[in-house]
Amino acid sequence: MKKTFILMGLLFGLVVNMMSLTACGDDDDNSNPLVGTWYINEDNGDYEEITFFDDGKCVHFTESQKYGKETFAGTYKADANKLLLMWSDGDTLTLTYSISGNKMTTTKSGGSRSSVWTKK
């Protein structure tokens, strides 16, 4: 009987210990759906990638047949469906955007052509 009681106590301790370890999972519950890396592969072979960081910074990388490889750093502000990109060279770009799952659709303000980005 004493052995059973000791084994039950050890089993209970093991279960409690395992529960505490599994509760320590990844707590990166970022409420900003923009944060992460988004990319586009164009039909003509051009490639674009933009990474949004949770501190308001972003990096845009392009590789095109016309301009070669370019990288731009900057900051961003987003609210509701508007995205303002402010590049370190002083240029700004305002987009409307929407996110559904791992897809983000952007349209330049005043523009009619939309781009669909995929999250990595």
Side-chain angles (χ1 to χ4, degrees), residues 3 13 35 40 45 47 52 71 80 88-89 92-95 112 114-115:
K3 283 184 181 180
V35 172
I40 296 177
Y47 176 81
F52 296 100
T71 302
S88 57
D89 65 359
T92 62
L93 177 63
T94 302
L95 304 167
S112 59
S114 294
S115 300

Side-chain angles (χ1 to χ4, degrees), residues 23-81:
C24 294
D26 187 10
D27 289 337
D28 281 346
D29 184 22
N30 195 324
S31 61
N32 184 347
L34 276 173
V35 172
T37 300
W38 300 84
Y39 70 94
I40 296 177
N41 283 317
E42 299 287 346
D43 292 337
N44 64 359
D46 291 355
Y47 176 81
E48 282 188 69
E49 182 178 290
I50 189 164
T51 301
F52 296 100
F53 300 97
D54 58 2
D55 64 356
K57 294 180 182 173
C58 59
V59 175
H60 183 227
F61 170 79
T62 62
E63 185 172 358
S64 69
Q65 295 173 8
K66 186 174 182 180
Y67 299 107
K69 294 180 181 181
E70 296 181 296
T71 302
F72 305 94
T75 58
Y76 71 94
K77 291 182 182 178
D79 61 8
N81 66 342

